[in-house]
Amino acid sequence: MEMIDGLMHGFGVALTPPNLLACLIGVTLGSLVGVLPGIGPNAGMALLIPLTFGMSAEAAIIMLAGIYYGSMYGGSTTAILLNVPGEAGSVMTAIDGFQMAKKGRPGPALAIAAIGSFIAGTFGILGIMLVGPWLAEFALRFGPPEFFALAIAGLIFLCGLSTNSFRIAITMVALGLGISTIGIDPVTGTQRFTLGFTHLAQGIDLVPVIMGLYGIAEVLSMMEEGIQKARITKVRPRDLVPSWLEARMSALPILRGSVIGFIVGLIPGPATVMSSFMSYRVEKKLSRTPERFGQGAIEGVAGPESANNSATAGSMVPMFSLGIAFSPATAMLLAALVIHGVQPGPLFMVSAPQVFWGVIASMYLGNFLLLLLNLPLVHIFVSILKLPQHVLAALVVLFCLVGAYTLNNSLLDVWIMVVMGGAGYLLRKLHIDPAPLVIALVLGPIIEKALRQSLFMANGDWSYLLLRPVSGMVVLAALALFALNLVVGMRRRAKIAQFIRNESQQQPTG
C-alpha cells in the first residue's frame, strides 16, 4: 500500500506541466542523442546539466533520466537501418537488425525493438520500486565504514570489468580520486593541491570535466573521422507491423532480456553493453536454430534491446538507494542531485519523496512517449544524420562553452573543460576508457568523508574497518579481487611476451 501511495504521489508530481515538459524534452533529446553515433547519453547529459540549474530538482532529474533511457531507443534506430549503432548498448542489435533491414524487414525489427524496450523499461521501473526500498532499508544499517568499503569495492570491481587493462583502469581511478581532493579541505579549511592558484580553491567541478572528456573530445573525434554518408532506408507506418510469428518468437527473448538487463544493471560496470551481450549469447544458446543468428534472427533484436533498456533502470537502484554510482551516466545523475541540494542514499525516499517517486512515475510516462515518438517518427530521427558535421560540431562546442561558464560564472571551469577535452581526445587515441576517472571523481568526496568518519569513530585505528562484519568482508573481497586482477594481468602479459619470443625465434636470420 505504501508503494502504491508513493507511486500515486509520483504521478501527481510528474504530471505537472513543468515536469511533463521536462520528461518530453528529455526523452526526445535522448532519442536524438541515441541516433547520432558516438554522442551517447554521457555526452548528452553532460551538455545539458548546466541548463537544469534553473529547474526544480525533480524536473532536472526527470529530464536527465529521460536522456539516459531515451538514448537506448534512438540507438537501435541507426543500428537497424544503417548498421551504425548510435549508442554502445545497441552494438548487438545491429548484428541481426541490419540483416533484417537488408532483407526488406526493417519495420518489424524497429517495432520489436521499440516494443521490447517499452516492456523492459516498464519491468525495470517495477524493479526499482521493489528492490530500491528494500536496499535502502538494508543500507540504513550501514555506517561510514560500510559505505567506504562498498565504494572502494565498487571501484575495484569496475576496474576489473573495464575495457582498459586493470593497471590502466586503476591508474585512472587514482587520478580521479586525486582530482577530487583539489580545493579546500572540508575539515581543516586549508587549501589542498592548488599549486598556489587561488581559483583552484573552489575545487574541480564534475560538470566541466565530463563536458571535456565526452563533449569536446567527441567533437575533436567527429571532425577527424566524420560520419560516413549512408543511404537511409525508408520505413512506412504500415511496414512497422510484425507478423504473428515474429511477435511470438520475440515474446520470451523480451522477458529474458528484461530480467538479465535489470540484474546486470545492479552491479558495477558498463551495464547496457554487458547486458545486451549476455542477452544475445543466451538467446543464441537457447535457440533450436542458432545458425539463424547473424542472418536476421528477430530474437537477436528483441533480447539485447530489452536488456539494455532494463539495465538503465537497474543501474539507478544503487544510485538512489546507496548514493553510489557504478557508471558514468548514473554518476552524472548523482552529480545533478547533489547540485540541486538532494542527497541520494538510504534516506532519499524519506527526505525527497517528490524527487524519487516523481522520477519513477516520469519513467512510466517517458517509456510511453518514447513508444509514440520512435515508431511514427523513425525516418525523421534518422534524417538528422544528414546534418553537416561542422554545424553539429559547432553546436556541441557552443553548448559546452556556455554550460561550463554558467556553472560558476568562472573562466576556470572553461579552461578545465578545454584541458579535459584535449585529455579525452588523447585517451580516445590511446583507446583508454575515461569512465573509471569520472566515477572516481564522483565517489571521491563520498569515500573521503566516509573514511574520515570511520577513523574518527575508531580513534585513528585502521583495523576498525576490518573488525566490523560487513565492512570487513567487503574490504577483504575487494583486496582479493584486486590481487586476482593483478595475477590475471601478469599471466596475460607473460603469455604475450612468450608469444613474441617464440615468433622472433622462428624468424629466419638474414
Side-chain angles (χ1 to χ4, degrees), residues 39 42-53 205-220 332 395-407 413-425 428 437-438 441:
I39 299 293
N42 299 331
M45 294 167 68
L47 292 174
L48 294 174
I49 282 181
L51 300 183
T52 68
F53 294 162
D205 204 285
L206 175 68
V207 176
V209 171
I210 295 175
M211 284 178 140
L213 288 175
Y214 290 100
I216 299 297
E218 179 60 38
V219 168
L220 295 174
M332 276 177 267
L395 288 174
V396 172
V397 171
L398 179 63
F399 278 127
C400 287
L401 290 173
V402 174
Y405 182 76
T406 55
L407 183 64
D413 290 326
V414 176
W415 282 111
I416 290 172
M417 182 194 69
V418 171
V419 171
M420 286 297 172
Y425 176 73
R428 289 187 180 215
L437 185 152
V438 173
L441 182 58

Side-chain angles (χ1 to χ4, degrees), residues 470-486:
V470 176
S471 64
M473 287 190 294
V474 175
V475 168
L476 291 176
L479 292 174
L481 183 63
F482 183 83
L484 177 64
N485 278 291
L486 285 180

